[in-house]
């Protein structure tokens, strides 16, 4: 969390919000089952938690105040599977209504380049191309940057969250050149660098094969995406290629004890509108002179230090 005076308060609160799909301090029976050594399960995607399998890090979300949060600590999903379940189901229902639909995950659309689609939903429809109505669904979270919250997770695993800060100290001591601090954040730059680019790239491919794309994410991330890619929306009854859906944590628990995500907004656009916004600058004005000025500002004050290639 960052207070209004700019001073970071990371290190004063437990940074992990959810582990294996449940609040880290949950007393729900479903949480105990998911957390057991035999399970370590993801209740959203089903089966073993992928992050646990690959990295032994089974947390779903963290508490953080990004630069755009104006000092308010929020919960950020840092695993794409956290948007599985109700958010994906919303996309399916939005497009198919009450039709009988099949949903499959991790569809490898192309090999070179390798292009995976998180979810594909389809139904039989003799009037549709190939007799199939079909959509693609991408779930987009945000990555961590800087340090990590592994020591906090270790404290949680040992039932010692009250002393979680000491686990960062122990890690710093073990890694002799590591500073003893809680240093993590959400990778705000990736909202544009990774997420926006991925939507453009997959959107182009899906447009070619006439498959609508749903992009499901936290609403705070959607707002930041739109601040960088200010695409023109279209009405629901107009032709569209991409539907963005923004969900947010409500603080409420569902019947199993998981934190609920609720739809905040959805908006549709065409691929051409998105690409136009994606490849245009939102700065306006004399962009060349501004760019030149920034380059000159980086130059040394004297000729010393200059180099030629």
């Amino acid at each position: 969390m960052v207070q209004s005076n700019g001073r970071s308060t990371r290190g004063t609160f437990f940074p992990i919000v959810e582990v294996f799909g449940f609040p880290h301090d949950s007393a729900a029976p479903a949480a105990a089952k998911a957390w057991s050594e035999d399970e370590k399960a993801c209740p959203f995607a089903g089966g073993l938690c992928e992050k646990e399998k690959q990295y032994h890090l089974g947390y779903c979300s963290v508490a953080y105040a990004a630069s755009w949060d104006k000092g308010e600590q929020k919960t950020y999903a840092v695993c794409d599977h956290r948007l599985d379940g109700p958010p994906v189901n919303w996309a399916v229902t939005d497009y198919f209504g009450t039709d009988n639909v099949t949903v499959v995950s991790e569809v490898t659309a192309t090999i070179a380049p390798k292009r995976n689609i998180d979810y594909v939903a389809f139904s039989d429809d003799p009037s549709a191309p190939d007799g199939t109505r079909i959509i693609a669904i991408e779930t987009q979270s945000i990555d961590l940057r800087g340090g990590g919250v592994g020591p906090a997770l270790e404290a949680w695993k040992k039932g010692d969250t009250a002393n979680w800060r000491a686990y960062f100290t122990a890690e710093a001591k073990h890694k002799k050149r590591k500073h003893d601090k809680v240093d993590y954040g959400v990778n705000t730059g990736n909202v544009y660098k990774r997420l926006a680019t991925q939507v453009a790239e997959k959107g182009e491919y899906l447009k070619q094969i006439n498959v609508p794309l749903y992009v499901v994410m936290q609403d705070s991330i959607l707002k930041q995406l739109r601040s960088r890619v200010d695409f023109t929306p279209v009405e629901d009854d107009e032709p569209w290629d991409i539907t963005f859906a923004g969900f947010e944590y409500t603080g409420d628990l569902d019947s199993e004890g998981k934190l609920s995500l609720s739809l905040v907004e959805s908006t549709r656009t065409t691929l051409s509108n998105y690409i136009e916004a994606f490849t245009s600058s939102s700065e306006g004005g004399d962009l060349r002179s501004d760019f030149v000025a920034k380059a000159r500002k980086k130059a040394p004050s004297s000729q010393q230090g200059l180099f030629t290639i």
Side-chain angles (χ1 to χ4, degrees):
M1 180 176 178
V2 179
Q3 295 177 325
S4 59
N5 62 8
R7 182 168 57 86
S8 172
T9 58
R10 280 174 294 182
T12 63
F13 58 87
F14 190 68
I16 298 173
V17 179
E18 297 166 292
V19 184
F20 299 123
F22 291 85
H24 74 85
D25 56 355
S26 176
K33 186 174 186 298
W35 296 341
S36 69
E37 284 296 322
D38 293 335
E39 292 284 335
K40 293 186 177 179
C42 173
F44 309 110
L48 179 66
C49 167
E50 288 184 8
K51 292 180 74 171
E52 172 65 23
K53 183 178 180 180
Q54 294 180 40
Y55 311 112
H56 302 294
L57 297 172
Y59 53 84
C60 316
S61 58
V62 300
Y64 187 68
S67 57
W68 54 66
D69 290 326
K70 299 179 180 179
E72 182 182 355
Q73 178 185 324
K74 293 185 177 180
T75 299
Y76 281 96
V78 291
C79 176
D80 287 342
H81 286 304
R82 187 58 185 91
L83 280 302
D84 293 349
V88 169
N89 292 341
W90 175 88
V92 174
T93 302
D94 181 70
Y95 191 78
F96 293 97
T98 58
D99 290 354
N100 186 24
V101 180
T102 299
V103 181
V104 293
S105 63
E106 293 297 322
V107 175
T108 301
T110 60
I111 301 297
K114 188 171 183 179
R115 186 182 284 118
N116 285 342
I117 307 297
D118 291 335
Y119 287 92
V120 174
F122 59 91
S123 67
D124 294 330
D125 184 347
S127 66
D130 302 307
T132 305
R133 291 184 72 204
I134 188 168
I135 61 172
I137 306 170
E138 285 291 295
T139 56
Q140 297 283 350
S141 63
I142 193 165
D143 301 323
L144 280 182
R145 62 170 173 80
V149 294
L153 184 65
E154 187 64 23
W156 175 85
K157 288 179 177 178
K158 293 182 177 179
D160 193 25
T161 54
N163 298 309
W164 68 272
R165 183 63 186 82
Y167 288 73
F168 283 85
T169 300
E171 183 192 58
K173 186 176 181 180
H174 176 68
K175 298 179 180 179
K176 296 182 179 179
R177 295 187 178 181
K178 184 177 176 66
H179 294 296
D180 179 12
K181 61 182 180 180
V182 182
D183 186 22
Y184 74 96
V186 296
N187 197 341
T188 56
N190 265 7
V191 172
Y192 184 78
K193 293 178 181 177
R194 182 178 66 85
L195 194 159
T197 302
Q198 185 168 285
V199 171
E201 191 272 334
K202 291 186 178 180
E204 286 272 17
Y205 163 74
L206 292 166
K207 175 70 172 179
Q208 291 176 31
I209 61 173
N210 194 27
V211 174
L213 171 63
Y214 279 79
V215 185
V216 176
M217 66 188 78
Q218 277 189 255
D219 190 59
S220 54
I221 307 303
L222 176 56
K223 283 182 169 57
Q224 294 309 310
L225 173 67
R226 295 203 64 187
S227 73
R228 297 292 303 272
V229 184
D230 189 19
F231 58 82
T232 301
V234 298
E235 297 297 328
D236 285 358
D237 57 356
E238 295 181 289
W240 60 272
D241 302 306
I242 307 171
T243 292
F244 292 92
F247 289 76
E248 207 54 80
Y249 287 91
T250 64
D252 299 327
L253 301 177
D254 68 12
S255 59
E256 284 193 323
K258 301 188 299 293
L259 286 170
S260 297
L261 284 169
S262 179
L263 179 70
V264 176
E265 63 175 316
S266 63
T267 183
R268 308 190 201 278
T269 192
T270 61
L271 178 66
S272 59
N273 285 354
Y274 183 85
I275 295 298
E276 181 180 0
F278 178 66
T279 56
S280 302
S281 173
S282 61
E283 297 296 326
D286 189 347
L287 299 178
R288 176 182 167 82
S289 62
D290 180 60
F291 181 73
V292 170
K294 289 176 179 176
R296 288 189 172 278
K297 186 177 180 180
K298 294 285 291 186
S301 56
S302 67
Q303 294 298 310
Q304 292 183 352
L306 294 179
F307 65 94
T308 58
I309 297 177

